Amino acid sequence: MRRHIILRSPSTVDDGGITLAANQQASSDEQLLKLWLHGRSPNTQRAYGSDVSRFRSFVGKSLQAVTLAHLQDFADSLRALAPASQCRVLSSVKSLLAFGHRIGYLAFDIGRPLRLPANRNRLSERILAEGAIHKILALEPSRRNRALLRLLYAAGLRVSELSALTGQHLQERDEAGQVTVLGKGGKTRTVLLSAATWQELRGLSDDGHSASPVFRSRKGGALSHSQVLRIVRAAARRAGIQAPVSPHWLRHAHASHALERGCPIHLVQATLGHASVATTGRYLHARPTDSSALYLSV
């Protein structure tokens, strides 16, 4: 028998940046999923929705009937995936179950005891050297693509943020300019650009319309995520880099290089739009500037 739960307290619940009004309700798995995904970016909704759909298809039961044993069996079924993929899928499911418990739809948070598989941190392997970044930019023959690559690195943008940029998001600032970005969770941030980066961007939108995409495809619309990926991959291969470079690698490089050059960590956090300084701190551990190993005599 399904329960119809209504939260009557005037308080709110914060779930990873998504604030929930206390009078929201869930009387089915579908409603719970809708509440859980509300306010997240389209990309996040697709990824989380796919992970949860995989879980629900596996167990074939209402979430209210799912037990820890079902969740453990599902975790075992994912062993053919890479550890990082296992962690992503299980983290999505655990988040949904925890959310369902918090709003009263689920009697217990049965996902809490489940341990995620050990996942080696490979961030350091995805950080390109400054020389590699400069080579990528120098060898790019397309003006549009060179500006795109420079902005991904110089502003540390996510690919979704870059694709969504229009002329109105670019503003002149003294001798250079700035870009206003709509990031995760609907949070807006403004990033100052160097004069060189601003000069690359100027003139890309020659139709005079502020609503036109900054980076347009041949058909006139905004570049898709897959098109941006192809541009980045081609630029990396042109520079002799064999690794599967993605747009996010340029964001990683921004964070790492800025910290190595002495930029305050809170400023890097603000520029990249990280919700927590702990996220930004991963780059300090990925590429340390000192080590006790260097003090030994061997």
Side-chain angles (χ1 to χ4, degrees):
M1 177 178 179
R2 296 191 184 279
R3 299 173 295 168
H4 193 73
I5 304 296
I6 302 179
L7 299 182
R8 301 187 183 278
S9 167
S11 62
T12 59
V13 179
D14 188 347
D15 180 58
I18 308 300
T19 302
L20 303 166
N23 63 353
Q24 289 178 325
Q25 59 190 21
S27 59
S28 67
D29 289 358
E30 286 68 28
Q31 286 186 351
L32 175 66
L33 186 61
K34 184 177 180 180
L35 289 175
W36 178 60
L37 292 175
H38 178 72
R40 302 182 190 272
S41 71
N43 288 338
T44 300
Q45 290 190 27
R46 282 193 293 270
Y48 284 14
S50 176
D51 294 338
V52 170
S53 177
R54 183 173 188 163
F55 172 66
R56 294 178 66 191
S57 297
F58 178 86
V59 297
K61 299 176 180 292
S62 164
L63 292 176
Q64 292 178 331
V66 169
T67 65
L68 177 60
H70 293 133
L71 187 56
Q72 290 173 334
D73 289 342
F74 175 66
D76 291 340
S77 75
L78 301 176
R79 287 181 176 173
L81 300 179
S85 297
Q86 294 180 47
C87 285
R88 191 205 71 237
V89 174
L90 293 176
S91 293
S92 297
V93 175
K94 281 167 64 73
S95 174
L96 173 64
L97 295 174
F99 174 78
H101 175 61
R102 278 200 298 277
I103 70 168
Y105 179 71
L106 300 177
F108 303 99
D109 179 5
I110 59 101
R112 187 172 185 179
L114 182 73
R115 292 187 176 182
L116 297 177
N119 182 26
R120 177 184 167 196
N121 187 344
R122 309 189 67 141
L123 177 59
S124 62
E125 301 170 20
R126 298 185 175 96
I127 299 176
L128 297 170
E130 284 193 68
I133 295 293
H134 291 302
K135 190 173 183 180
I136 286 174
L137 296 176
L139 296 179
E140 175 55 61
S142 165
R143 178 187 177 191
R144 180 204 65 181
N145 294 351
R146 187 171 59 251
L148 179 151
L149 294 166
R150 182 187 288 274
L151 190 61
L152 281 173
Y153 172 67
L157 301 187
R158 300 178 177 92
V159 64
S160 58
E161 297 168 346
L162 178 127
S163 296
L165 288 179
T166 63
Q168 64 187 343
H169 298 131
L170 303 178
Q171 299 89 32
E172 289 191 11
R173 183 80 178 270
D174 300 324
E175 300 300 318
Q178 64 184 36
V179 58
T180 302
V181 180
L182 181 63
K184 279 188 174 181
K187 297 179 179 179
T188 300
R189 68 184 190 277
T190 299
V191 181
L192 295 176
L193 303 175
S194 67
T197 301
W198 181 250
Q199 289 301 322
E200 287 272 15
L201 288 174
R202 288 184 64 182
L204 284 183
S205 181
D206 54 9
D207 57 9
H209 295 297
S210 63
S212 297
V214 173
F215 299 104
R216 287 177 290 177
S217 66
R218 292 176 181 175
K219 295 182 178 180
L223 288 174
S224 67
H225 296 184
S226 60
Q227 288 173 316
V228 176
L229 174 61
R230 286 196 292 271
I231 290 170
V232 172
R233 288 270 167 90
R237 288 194 298 270
R238 194 179 297 112
I241 302 170
Q242 302 303 316
V245 178
S246 75
H248 217 73
W249 285 39
L250 302 183
R251 179 174 162 88
H252 291 326
H254 172 111
S256 179
H257 298 167
L259 289 171
E260 289 174 358
R261 285 176 169 268
C263 180
I265 190 170
H266 70 274
L267 185 54
V268 178
Q269 176 195 3
T271 300
L272 297 187
H274 286 158
S276 168
V277 73
T279 302
T280 315
R282 295 180 307 151
Y283 295 96
L284 294 173
H285 298 294
R287 286 170 65 92
T289 56
D290 204 356
S291 168
S292 59
L294 301 180
Y295 290 80
L296 303 181
S297 61
V298 292

